[in-house]
Amino acid sequence: MGKFIQEFKEFAVKGNAIDMAVGVIIGGAFGKIVTSIVNDIIMPPIGWVIGGVNFSDLKVTLPAEKIAGVEMASATINYGSFIQTIIDFTIIALCVFLLVKGINNIKKRKEAPVAPAPEPEPSAEEKLLTEIRDLLKK
């Protein structure tokens, strides 16, 4: 049991686990923002353009059933809510894609190999000393 707890501590303290937890929290908050944008800003004009339809009201009502003489409430298939969820997902996926693409571009710029600087031309003194050395070798 002690080894298990030690392994869990190592996992929880590692940067990856903490980064993942922060990402999940920020992702949840970001999801709420995108949902609000879709529900409150994007969908009303779309509904207005197609005839004043509120997507969250789109549903198919199934017939009510009587069970033991008591009529049960009708069940509904809320396909309008599903359409809004698909739009939410698409916008979130696009934003995450653009974010990851931007981060990858930044990483590529940092990791791009820098061409070594060309060796500077030797000074006149160095050239002269090199000639003298070569003459002495002969």
Side-chain angles (χ1 to χ4, degrees), residues 30 87-101:
F30 183 71
I87 293 171
D88 281 355
F89 171 77
T90 304
I91 292 172
I92 291 171
L94 177 66
C95 290
V96 169
F97 170 74
L98 293 174
L99 180 68
V100 169
K101 186 172 178 163

Side-chain angles (χ1 to χ4, degrees), residues 20-128:
M20 185 176 68
V22 170
V24 168
I25 292 168
I26 291 175
F30 183 71
K32 289 179 183 179
I33 291 170
V34 171
T35 299
S36 177
I37 289 172
V38 170
N39 292 341
D40 302 330
I41 296 174
I42 295 174
M43 295 310 285
I46 291 173
W48 178 76
V49 167
I50 62 174
V53 175
N54 182 357
F55 279 88
S56 61
D57 293 338
L58 297 177
K59 59 187 168 190
V60 173
T61 304
L62 302 175
E65 293 289 325
K66 283 188 177 183
I67 298 178
V70 177
E71 189 163 333
M72 304 301 286
S74 299
T76 60
I77 299 174
N78 302 318
Y79 67 92
S81 177
F82 179 69
I83 291 171
Q84 281 191 313
T85 302
I86 290 173
I87 293 171
D88 281 355
F89 171 77
T90 304
I91 292 172
I92 291 171
L94 177 66
C95 290
V96 169
F97 170 74
L98 293 174
L99 180 68
V100 169
K101 186 172 178 163
I103 290 170
N104 287 341
N105 285 340
I106 291 170
K107 283 184 179 179
K108 283 181 185 176
R109 287 183 197 148
K110 286 184 179 179
E111 294 175 359
V114 178
E119 290 188 24
E121 184 75 23
S123 67
E125 292 174 345
E126 289 179 54
K127 288 181 183 178
L128 183 59

